């Protein structure tokens, strides 16, 4: 008896399905299917972001991606001339997108990729005309930033020997108790201030640390003093 | 309204006799016209069923069936027919030509011959044979040979294996098919189909023979190679089994023969168990199609609900479950008849 | 003489000659085909022809049983057996012997048998009983006889079939050897 009841229950379920509303059906060309947010449609490429590092080409198991570089005039800079994606071999494994550090590859939601001839399956990105100008702009921007930094550093170096007060907040200005906590004895404080005077970056960092995390600042100060002492001994030995 | 077709038939015979034909020839011409009508019914049924099966399958599986061609996809059959007719007719090189080419013809010939004894209304069977039920069952057993011919003629070992499995299944299930109908013959005392239908004027036989109903339904599903018993010809197994090498119109003929067989078996089921043309409001010849389509929908329902049964389970189910059940049904019917007669006599 | 014979030909005769001729043709084809599967199909048609002969004599029940049993079951079993066990090229599996002596001996033997049977049929008096009652139900008569006067042969045949089925199952299962 129990043998037949399962069959009847199954038939009842299918009967209910027959008369329900069919909400899973998408009438395709008229209605578009609902795609999830991480749906992988076609690989797309942002030419501006690519640095031609070849990480994507090496990570692809099916040799889908290939790049075409040319040597820029004067120097060892690489210039990306073309980027070819051969979609017929892509298996949508996402390894290339993950391996790109400059977010040059991404997926879009386009899944209707049929073409009429085999050659059109390859997606070829040619170097756009504005790329040379864009790269020159970027170089100029980088140069400018470098210049500014260098100026800032040299300005700081000039003023640090005369008066630390005029160069903004500094470790030497800290109240005596904090300095004592940081380094310990008077001698250590002097060594610390010497080390900090040589290196503005460490100086700024230590200043920040004093404000935020005193324990860490103490450890760093101690390490700096010890290193300086060691160097002095080694220098003395040689 | 019940007598429309009888009147038309009489009118035709009168017309022919008034043109000078002796009665024998007029009757013969009427018989030919009735054969044409049977063919028309077969073709119409198949056209409807191809669409209905796909729609029903879709609805049961929580999707719509074909709905692009015509409203609700009703022109899908025409597209299917055109596709099958224009397909290339591939005959493999080393097939046994005679057997390969004649197998589909026999199959459809036999399937159409099944319709000749079915009573569409009172006195509306084409040939009301004394042994109508036996005629039906004999022709069902002839379809096994056609499948075997198809499988052998294809010169393909997988077709042969599929054909042998199909034939083994069909032979096995003929036994419970025939045994389960013996109860009905015992109750009504006649093999003539119109007698069996007439005997159901007060109560349908489904109430008196529930066990026979179940046994017959399952055995008929297996005989037709459909439903959960379609292992020999399912696409996932042996790629269409015995019919692998058939393309285009020849394959369509097998397909047609299967649907024809399905309608014939459903109509027989209606005549035997569901009271035939008895019913309240509609004319008699309208009740049979209505009931037949209800039964066909039940066949579809069962096919698209259950998974396929494995070949050895299938065979053991027939030998170990269905045959004992049908024999039990015969014994119970015998007892029932005697007890009823004794109670009557009191 | 010919004219009288031709005038007395009825539809029944034409139909009978057609069906019987078809049966004989199929029987001949069955013997003469070289391909055994073609012979089997011809044999099936021969059985259907014999069923047709039964129908012409108003023996509907026997005709149906002939179709069901012979054409529907026995032929299938035979075809199964041949298809499974055929070891040679099927197109040459049913050739008759090429030796002239065998062919002559065959003609001789079948000629003798045909002559004996023909003489027996022609010389016997077949008494014509009155026209059969059209209302009688054949199956009732057969059932009365089979389960009434002839019940012992009926049951013996049933036991024979049972023995055959049990034997087949045992053969298929294989005999267990005592170790």
């Amino acid at each position: 008896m129990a043998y037949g009841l399962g069959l009847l229950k199954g038939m009842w379920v299918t009967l209910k399905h027959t008369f329900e509303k069919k909400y899973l059906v998408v009438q395709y060309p008229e209605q578009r299917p609902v795609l999830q947010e991480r749906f992988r449609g076609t690989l797309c490429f942002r030419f501006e972001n690519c640095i031609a590092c070849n990480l994507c080409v090496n990570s692809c198991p099916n040799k889908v991606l290939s790049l075409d570089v040319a040597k820029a005039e004067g120097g060892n800079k690489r210039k990306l001339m073309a980027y070819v994606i051969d979609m017929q071999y892509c298996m949508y494994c996402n390894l290339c997108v993950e391996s790109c550090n400059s977010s040059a590859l991404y997926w879009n939601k386009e899944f209707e990729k049929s073409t009429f001839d085999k050659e059109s399956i390859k997606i070829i990105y040619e170097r756009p005309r504005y790329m040379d100008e864009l790269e020159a702009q970027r170089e100029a921007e980088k140069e400018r930033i470098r210049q500014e930094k260098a100026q800032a550093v040299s300005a700081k170096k000039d003023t640090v020997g005369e008066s630390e007060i005029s160069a903004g907040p500094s470790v030497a200005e800290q109240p005596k108790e904090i300095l004592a906590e940081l380094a310990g004895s008077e001698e250590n404080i002097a060594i610390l201030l010497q080390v900090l005077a040589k290196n503005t970056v460490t100086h700024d960092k230590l200043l920040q640390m004093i404000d935020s995390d005193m324990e860490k600042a103490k450890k760093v100060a101690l390490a700096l003093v010890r290193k300086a002492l060691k160097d002095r001994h080694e220098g003395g030995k040689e | 309204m019940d007598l429309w077709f009888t009147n038309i038939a009489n009118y035709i015979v009168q017309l022919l006799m008034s043109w000078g034909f002796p009665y024998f020839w007029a009757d013969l011409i009427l018989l030919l016209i009735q054969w044409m009508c049977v063919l028309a019914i077969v073709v119409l049924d198949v056209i409807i069923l191809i669409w209905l099966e796909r729609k029903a399958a879709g609805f049961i599986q929580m999707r719509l069936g074909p709905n692009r061609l015509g409203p609700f996809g009703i022109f899908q059959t025409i597209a299917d027919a055109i596709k099958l007719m224009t397909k290339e007719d591939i005959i493999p090189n080393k097939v046994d030509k005679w057997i390969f080419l004649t197998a589909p013809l026999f199959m459809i010939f036999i399937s159409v011959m099944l319709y000749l004894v079915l009573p569409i209304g009172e006195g509306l069977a084409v040939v009301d044979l004394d042994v109508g039920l036996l005629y039906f069952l004999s022709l069902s057993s002839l379809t096994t040979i056609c499948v075997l011919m198809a499988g052998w003629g294809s010169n393909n070992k997988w077709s042969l294996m599929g054909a042998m499995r199909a034939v083994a299944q069909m032979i096995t299930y003929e036994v419970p098919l025939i045994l389960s109908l013996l109860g009905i013959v015992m109750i009504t005392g006649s093999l003539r189909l119109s007698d069996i239908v007439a005997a159901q004027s007060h109560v349908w036989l489904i109430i008196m023979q529930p066990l026979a109903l179940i046994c017959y339904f399952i055995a008929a599903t297996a005989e037709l190679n459909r439903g959960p018993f379609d292992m020999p010809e399912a696409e996932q197994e042996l790629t269409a089994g015995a019919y692998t090498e058939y393309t285009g119109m020849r394959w369509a003929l097998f397909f047609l023969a299967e649907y024809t067989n399905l309608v014939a078996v459903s109509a027989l089921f209606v005549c035997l168990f569901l009271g035939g043309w008895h019913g309240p409001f509609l004319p008699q010849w309208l009740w049979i199609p209505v009931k037949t389509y209800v039964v066909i929908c039940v066949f579809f329902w069962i096919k698209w609900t259950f998974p396929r049964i494995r070949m050895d389970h299938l065979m053991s189910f027939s030998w170990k479950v269905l045959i004992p059940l049908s024999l039990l049904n015969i014994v119970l019917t015998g007892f029932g008849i005697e007890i009823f007669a004794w109670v009557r006599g009191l | 003489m010919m004219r009288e014979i031709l005038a007395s030909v009825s539809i029944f005769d034409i139909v009978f000659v057609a069906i019987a001729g078809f049966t004989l043709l199929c029987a001949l084809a069955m013997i003469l085909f070289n391909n055994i599967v073609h012979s089997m199909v011809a044999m099936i048609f021969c059985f259907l022809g014999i069923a047709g002969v039964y129908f012409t004599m108003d023996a509907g029940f026997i005709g149906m049983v002939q179709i069901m049993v012979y054409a529907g079951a026995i032929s299938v079993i035979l075809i199964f057996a041949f298809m499974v066990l055929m070891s040679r090229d099927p197109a040459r599996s049913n050739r008759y012997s090429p030796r002239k002596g065998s062919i002559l001996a065959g003609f001789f033997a079948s000629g003798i048998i045909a002559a004996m049977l023909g003489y027996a049929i022609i010389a016997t008096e077949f008494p014509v009983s009155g026209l059969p009652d059209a209302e009688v139900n054949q199956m009732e008569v057969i059932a009365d006889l089979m389960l009434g006067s002839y019940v012992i042969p009926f049951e013996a045949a049933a036991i024979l079939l049972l023995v055959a089925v049990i034997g087949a199952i045992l053969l298929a299962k294989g005999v267990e050897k005592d170790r």
Side-chain angles (χ1 to χ4, degrees), chain C residues 84-96:
Chain C
V84 167
L85 297 175
M86 195 176 314
S87 57
R88 296 169 283 164
D89 179 15
R92 282 200 290 270
S93 39
N94 196 22
R95 298 168 93 188
Y96 43 87

Side-chain angles (χ1 to χ4, degrees), chain A residues 47-48 70-73 77-81 126-141:
Chain A
F47 217 97
E48 301 84 21
K71 282 261 192 289
E73 319 80 31
K77 283 300 290 177
R78 295 190 301 258
K79 245 182 18 163
L80 180 67
M81 299 307 291
E126 304 259 339
R127 188 183 180 82
R129 256 173 289 151
Y130 58 80
M131 267 313 276
D132 286 332
E133 217 179 284
L134 192 64
E135 287 206 338
Q137 271 181 3
R138 283 189 186 155
E139 278 302 314
E141 193 63 30

Side-chain angles (χ1 to χ4, degrees), chain C residues 1-10 13:
Chain C
M1 179 69 174
M2 267 318 262
R3 202 168 294 173
E4 279 134 14
I5 295 181
L6 277 177
S8 71
V9 161
S10 63
D13 291 334

Side-chain angles (χ1 to χ4, degrees), chain A residues 161-200:
Chain A
E162 293 162 359
S163 154
E164 296 165 42
I165 302 171
S166 58
S170 72
V171 177
E173 283 179 14
Q174 301 293 328
K176 277 274 187 261
E177 296 86 29
I178 292 190
L179 281 178
E181 218 185 308
L182 266 186
S185 59
E186 285 281 337
E187 204 184 301
N188 285 358
I189 295 178
I191 298 176
L192 182 64
L193 286 176
Q194 255 185 359
V195 167
L196 287 181
K198 286 190 199 136
N199 198 337
T200 41

Side-chain angles (χ1 to χ4, degrees), chain B residues 211-272:
Chain B
L211 194 56
L213 181 101
I214 298 176
C215 287
Y216 178 74
F217 198 82
I218 299 177
T221 319
E223 271 296 305
L224 296 168
N225 269 350
R226 74 174 284 122
F229 304 102
D230 59 354
M231 166 86 49
E233 63 168 36
E235 288 101 29
Q236 295 92 337
E237 326 272 342
L238 295 181
T239 67
Y243 311 136
T244 311
E245 299 285 346
Y246 286 90
T247 57
M249 211 54 211
R250 291 183 210 287
W251 181 81
L253 277 180
F254 274 118
F255 196 50
L256 253 62
E258 252 194 53
Y259 276 132
T260 314
N261 229 334
L262 172 67
V263 176
V265 164
S266 302
L268 183 73
F269 189 85
V270 162
C271 292
L272 294 177

